[in-house]
Amino acid sequence: MTVTVWVPRDAGAMALGAEATAQALVAAARTAGIDIRLRRNGSRGMYWLEPLIEVECATGRIAYGPVTERDVDGLVDGGMLQGGPHDLRVGPIEEHPWLGSQQRLTFARVGRTDPLDLDDYLAGGGYRGLRRALEIGPAATVRTIVDSRLRGRGGAAFPTGVKWQTVLEQPATEKFVACNADEGDSGTYSDRMLMEGDPFALIEGMTIAGAAVGATRGYVYLRVEYPHARLVLLDAIARSRAAGYLGEDVCGSGRRFDIELRIGAGAYVCGEETSMLESIEGRRGEVRVRPPLPAHKGLFGAPTVVNNVITLATVPFILAEGAAAYCDYGQAKSRGTLPLQLAGNVRRAGLIERAFGLTLRELLYDYGGGSASGRPIRAVQVGGPLGAYLPESQFDTPLEYEAFAAIGAMLGHGGVVAFDDTVDMLAMARHALVFCAQESCGKCVPCRMGSVRGAEALDRVARGVDRDGNLALVEEICDTMTHASLCGLGGMAPAPVLSALKHFGQDFRRPAPRS
Ligand SMILES: Cc1cc2nc3c(=O)[nH]c(=O)nc-3n(C[C@H](O)[C@H](O)[C@H](O)COP(=O)(O)O)c2cc1C
Ligand code: SF4
């Protein structure tokens, strides 16, 4: 009898040794005379257990983790290939409370299927959404997205349906779909996991967007630090083309749509949509002045839908299951689910897809298991390097766009990074401004100069030089950056600084180190 064993090929799992584990497994099974079929999946997002391997048994998939190359012989000898007991046995993976309590709509297939097996994708409901979109036509497809109340997952949370409607209404003969896969935020990895774990979902979402607005070409703008995602996407695009899901006659509909990859060099500002368009066109990644909006005049001067990976990968579910099936999740104006990425000082870091409304405390403790160091969690940064720092008193805030805006914070792309009570918040505030100075495109003065002068003023605060005067200067610089910057990089960099000052003011008044 052949035993099927799954080992992830996700970059996070590979960084922890999944490839060596897979090879050791093949060798150990051969030695034991057991015939195995090695299959590769994406990650389940349980990164503290990676490399997490799964054995198909009569009762379902039994997981073991973290399994290093060195553990394999012992596991095989101990009966792992029959689902036997072991210290590393996690148990039936689908029943694991960390996973079972999630509401995985966008990530439904990630970790369960072979990302490059089109039959797996189809068996898991793939391409039903595209067929539906082609059946009902552009206007009804856009209407479905409007009704789903899906908002962009790249950071700004703009209603996706409104954006698509604007592009649909443009009379141009040439239009584009640009997928933002730059994923520059610290602590975020959902785009990467999705592209590596379920690339056909992104391809299908982009194809639906193209059919909805009348675009014939799509670009995925991928950062150079994602070489695994690049290979998976290239392969998946080729397979989609060969099967007639991309190309001159998508699904026999007579509609044309194809996708190209463009690799960015890894500048944070290239994630800003107009910089990204500049970069795709082959120029330096510098922010464009708006108007015109990309929906009116975007890539190569043509109307362009710009959406994040997760936004686009969510579209097939909405088309296949209907707007209400998606909209029923969530609360208030935040509908559907959000794939949260928990990182930093927590025991169980990973991807948690839940309906909007879970509180930060539930995320940190129920899923994260508290800090990895065992010390109290003191501060949490949500929404990337330009997100506010939240103190313990705000941990009961529901993860939802408006609730976060009400406390001066943002959800962004759903990255959550935890720090324990050893964190120096003055250093964190300074880091935000130094990061902004390094990543600034230099086009406008508040960001280009403000970030440098602000970091210098914080250095003087750290040395104990005229603290009151320098802190007042920092606040004034932040005010100018917030209100006068051309884009969100300069406009949002003050959020971590001002929130650190507001909630952790004591860190700015510690005795200066002796020189
Ligand atoms: C400095 C900066 C960096 C950004 N980086 C990203 C990014 O890496 N990925 C992303 O999808 N959106 C990023 N955005 C947001 C994009 O400008 C844009 O709002 C988004 O791609 C639109 O897609 P959505 O509506 O699906 O969210 C960034 C914005 C700013 C101001
Ligand atoms: S805010 Fe910064 S990144 Fe944005 S346009 Fe101005 S200089 Fe460039």
Side-chain angles (χ1 to χ4, degrees):
M1 200 185 85
T2 304
V3 182
T4 301
V5 187
W6 295 82
V7 181
R9 206 182 255 142
D10 167 275
M14 301 273 273
L16 292 162
E19 194 54 45
T21 300
Q23 283 170 24
L25 194 62
V26 171
R30 194 181 304 126
T31 306
I34 301 172
D35 191 23
I36 64 165
R37 179 181 180 215
L38 179 66
R39 297 203 69 191
R40 307 309 291 265
N41 52 347
S43 172
R44 298 272 187 175
M46 305 165 94
Y47 280 108
W48 76 100
L49 290 174
E50 292 289 6
L52 180 76
I53 67 179
E54 298 174 26
V55 182
E56 278 190 16
C57 298
T59 51
R61 277 154 74 159
I62 306 296
Y64 296 80
V67 179
T68 66
E69 179 187 9
R70 287 186 306 279
D71 300 315
V72 169
D73 285 343
L75 276 159
V76 171
D77 288 347
M80 176 191 75
L81 294 173
Q82 294 79 39
H86 193 277
D87 286 352
L88 297 178
R89 190 180 192 271
V90 177
I93 192 66
E94 304 281 354
E95 290 165 29
H96 194 286
W98 195 90
L99 207 55
S101 60
Q102 297 192 32
Q103 292 152 317
R104 290 199 170 190
L105 308 183
T106 309
F107 277 75
R109 281 175 297 261
V110 177
R112 302 177 67 203
T113 56
D114 174 346
L116 288 171
D117 187 328
L118 197 48
D119 291 334
D120 260 16
Y121 186 64
L122 295 171
Y127 279 118
R128 275 176 50 223
L130 176 62
R131 290 196 186 283
R132 177 82 187 134
L134 293 172
E135 208 175 281
I136 62 179
T141 302
V142 172
R143 186 77 246 157
T144 306
I145 298 301
V146 170
D147 291 345
S148 75
R149 297 168 69 187
L150 174 67
R151 293 166 71 176
R153 302 293 191 244
F158 188 80
T160 307
V162 173
K163 195 181 275 186
W164 287 25
Q165 182 69 41
T166 310
V167 178
L168 172 64
E169 284 165 4
Q170 304 309 303
T173 48
E174 188 169 49
K175 299 177 186 178
F176 296 104
V177 176
C179 168
N180 193 339
D182 198 50
E183 194 157 62
D185 283 358
S186 40
T188 63
Y189 43 86
S190 60
D191 292 352
R192 180 191 59 69
M193 267 186 73
L194 192 289
M195 289 185 286
E196 292 174 357
D198 196 15
F200 293 119
L202 174 59
I203 294 168
E204 183 183 355
M206 290 180 71
T207 312
I208 293 171
V213 304
T216 51
R217 180 156 287 272
Y219 290 87
V220 178
Y221 185 79
L222 185 70
R223 59 175 35 236
V224 73
E225 290 95 334
Y226 283 177
H228 297 83
R230 175 175 168 271
L231 292 178
V232 174
L233 278 176
L234 284 173
D235 201 337
I237 289 169
R239 286 171 198 248
S240 299
R241 212 176 274 141
Y245 292 105
L246 285 176
E248 291 301 314
D249 182 18
V250 172
C251 291
S253 65
R255 286 179 170 276
R256 185 156 53 94
F257 190 74
D258 218 326
I259 297 176
E260 258 182 56
L261 280 195
R262 288 291 161 101
I263 308 298
Y268 184 71
V269 75
C270 284
E272 191 283 333
E273 59 184 7
T274 62
S275 287
M276 181 188 81
L277 297 178
E278 286 289 293
S279 183
I280 293 177
E281 290 181 17
R283 281 190 292 278
R284 183 174 182 269
E286 200 179 65
V287 172
R288 291 180 184 171
V289 177
R290 275 172 291 195
L293 294 171
H296 293 131
K297 196 167 180 285
L299 205 49
F300 307 110
T304 304
V305 164
V306 180
N307 275 135
N308 171 255
V309 172
I310 301 301
T311 315
L312 288 162
T314 302
V315 162
F317 174 89
I318 296 170
L319 264 296
E321 305 299 330
Y326 189 71
C327 198
D328 280 352
Y329 290 90
Q331 60 183 47
K333 292 182 186 164
S334 305
R335 313 306 305 192
T337 59
L338 179 65
L340 293 148
Q341 304 121 85
L342 189 52
N345 197 338
V346 283
R347 283 179 55 220
R348 297 191 292 264
L351 185 122
I352 298 115
E353 182 177 349
R354 281 283 304 250
F356 288 94
L358 182 78
T359 66
L360 196 49
R361 194 181 301 280
E362 287 166 331
L363 181 73
L364 292 168
Y365 293 96
D366 296 354
Y367 285 99
S371 74
S373 61
R375 304 181 66 93
I377 297 179
R378 183 178 184 224
V380 176
Q381 189 177 35
V382 183
L386 312 180
Y389 284 103
L390 308 182
E392 209 269 342
S393 59
Q394 294 182 326
F395 287 179
D396 292 314
T397 310
L399 290 148
E400 183 235 283
Y401 295 122
E402 275 67 35
F404 263 60
I407 58 164
M410 60 166 187
L411 280 182
H413 184 47
V416 177
V417 183
F419 300 85
D420 75 10
D421 61 352
T422 59
V423 66
D424 174 352
M425 294 306 293
L426 189 152
M428 302 311 287
R430 182 182 179 277
H431 173 74
L433 291 173
V434 171
F435 175 81
C436 180
Q438 282 170 351
E439 298 293 332
S440 167
C441 81
K443 189 155 180 163
C444 66
V445 176
C447 167
R448 188 179 70 232
M449 299 301 292
S451 52
V452 177
R453 297 290 169 255
E456 288 169 356
L458 282 179
D459 282 341
R460 290 192 290 275
V461 171
R463 292 201 306 273
V465 179
D466 183 16
R467 278 192 164 140
D468 289 337
N470 279 300
L471 286 175
L473 177 62
V474 169
E475 292 199 25
E476 194 184 322
I477 289 171
C478 283
D479 186 59
T480 307
M481 288 176 71
T482 304
H483 295 104
S485 293
L486 193 56
C487 87
L489 206 170
M492 293 186 300
V497 181
L498 296 175
S499 56
L501 259 170
K502 181 174 173 186
H503 301 298
F504 306 96
Q506 65 275 35
D507 288 21
F508 294 75
R509 301 208 172 263
R510 287 201 179 124
R514 289 203 198 134
S515 53

